[in-house]
Amino acid sequence: MTGADRIKLEPSWKARVGDYLLREDMQALSAFLHERKAAGARIFPPGPQIFAALDATPFDRVKVVILGQDPYHGFGQAHGLCFSVQPGTAVPPSLENVYKELQRDLGIRPPGHGCLTHWAEQGVLLLNAVLTVEEGRAGAHQGKGWEGFTDAIVEALNREREHLVFMLWGSYAQKKGAVIDTSRHRVLRAPHPSPLSAHRGFIGCGHFSAANEYLVRNGQTPIDWALPPAAALTAPASGPT
């Protein structure tokens, strides 16, 4: 998984965090993933999509960072972007609440699907703290090494970029984003959009309009948060990882 002969990092990210994948703890993570797969575990997202968030949003194009926890663990859901699911997959409850707030904040109606690739292509880094999971086992790969790698991604953005927007939804994301220099970046905090907590302040947070206002104020193009309709997307072929 971590070797150069397996998965290639997008060049701008490889220049900044590629060496991290050579660390001993990342080699142990690679061995763990191979062991779990050999034992019959179905790992999501599929191998080529593990680093999809970095592939879709190169380092110099990042404008907004949304931090998630770990991938969806249902078959055919995860494709490497946090909160996003593949075309043709039912919209998860947390994402439904994201869409509710988007409509309340900017008047944008839900698109009828859960694929957020359009955001990623505009500079919204949709980064999970843990990049793999096992079918039916939420959090199965937490504490195995991914967190340090994704911390390195956040730290590189914090250190080398300016005027980014970090959307930290829930205590887990807020803890991970504690290193962010708020004098150089805009940090937006709210409860997680999960049905358990969305109505404690996520609904009404206004993060989407606040992000765009900050970007424009700092000379950047705002994000078009309106997603294309489902008819414009092509559902991928489903299959085992």
Side-chain angles (χ1 to χ4, degrees):
M1 181 277 301
T2 57
D5 59 331
R6 296 298 301 274
I7 295 179
K8 308 287 187 182
L9 277 182
E10 189 279 329
S12 68
W13 287 108
K14 185 175 182 180
R16 290 164 176 87
V17 295
D19 287 348
Y20 196 99
L21 295 177
L22 303 177
R23 288 169 45 121
E24 185 175 342
D25 53 341
M26 296 305 290
Q27 297 301 313
L29 170 61
S30 180
F32 167 77
L33 292 175
H34 285 297
E35 289 168 4
R36 293 302 300 142
K37 195 166 185 178
R42 183 173 279 169
I43 296 174
F44 300 140
Q49 295 177 336
I50 289 174
F51 298 118
L54 305 183
D55 293 337
T57 315
F59 181 85
D60 293 325
R61 292 187 58 200
V62 175
K63 296 179 180 180
V64 177
V65 181
I66 298 178
L67 295 179
Q69 191 161 349
D70 63 345
Y72 296 117
H73 56 86
F75 180 79
Q77 290 183 298
H79 64 125
L81 308 180
C82 75
F83 289 99
S84 182
V85 291
Q86 301 193 79
T89 303
V91 177
S94 290
L95 185 54
E96 286 185 349
N97 285 326
V98 171
Y99 288 164
K100 287 179 183 177
E101 173 56 19
L102 186 59
Q103 184 168 11
R104 188 211 62 81
D105 188 17
L106 293 175
I108 296 172
R109 296 176 61 84
H113 63 82
C115 182
L116 305 181
T117 301
H118 179 63
W119 293 359
E121 291 171 345
Q122 296 179 78
V124 182
L125 180 64
L126 297 165
L127 182 67
N128 275 316
V130 177
L131 300 187
T132 55
V133 74
E134 293 178 21
E135 184 173 24
R137 296 184 61 211
H141 293 179
Q142 290 180 13
K144 301 298 183 181
W146 280 126
E147 292 91 341
F149 176 66
T150 53
D151 281 346
I153 292 170
V154 172
E155 289 163 5
L157 289 166
N158 178 57
R159 180 178 62 249
E160 297 186 39
R161 296 289 309 280
E162 290 186 348
H163 305 312
L164 300 180
V165 179
F166 289 84
M167 294 184 178
L168 308 181
W169 298 339
S171 59
Y172 186 94
Q174 289 164 21
K175 182 178 180 181
K176 193 172 184 69
V179 301
I180 299 163
D181 183 350
T182 55
S183 70
R184 299 176 60 197
H185 305 288
R186 182 78 163 97
V187 177
L188 302 172
R189 299 179 179 87
H192 195 276
S194 160
L196 297 176
S197 55
H199 293 281
R200 298 176 190 163
F202 179 81
I203 303 298
C205 68
H207 282 188
F208 301 102
S209 59
N212 278 353
E213 288 165 7
Y214 181 82
L215 293 173
V216 170
R217 189 163 67 246
N218 288 282
Q220 301 185 69
T221 305
I223 302 298
D224 173 16
W225 295 106
L227 294 163
L233 303 174
T234 302
S238 296
T241 59

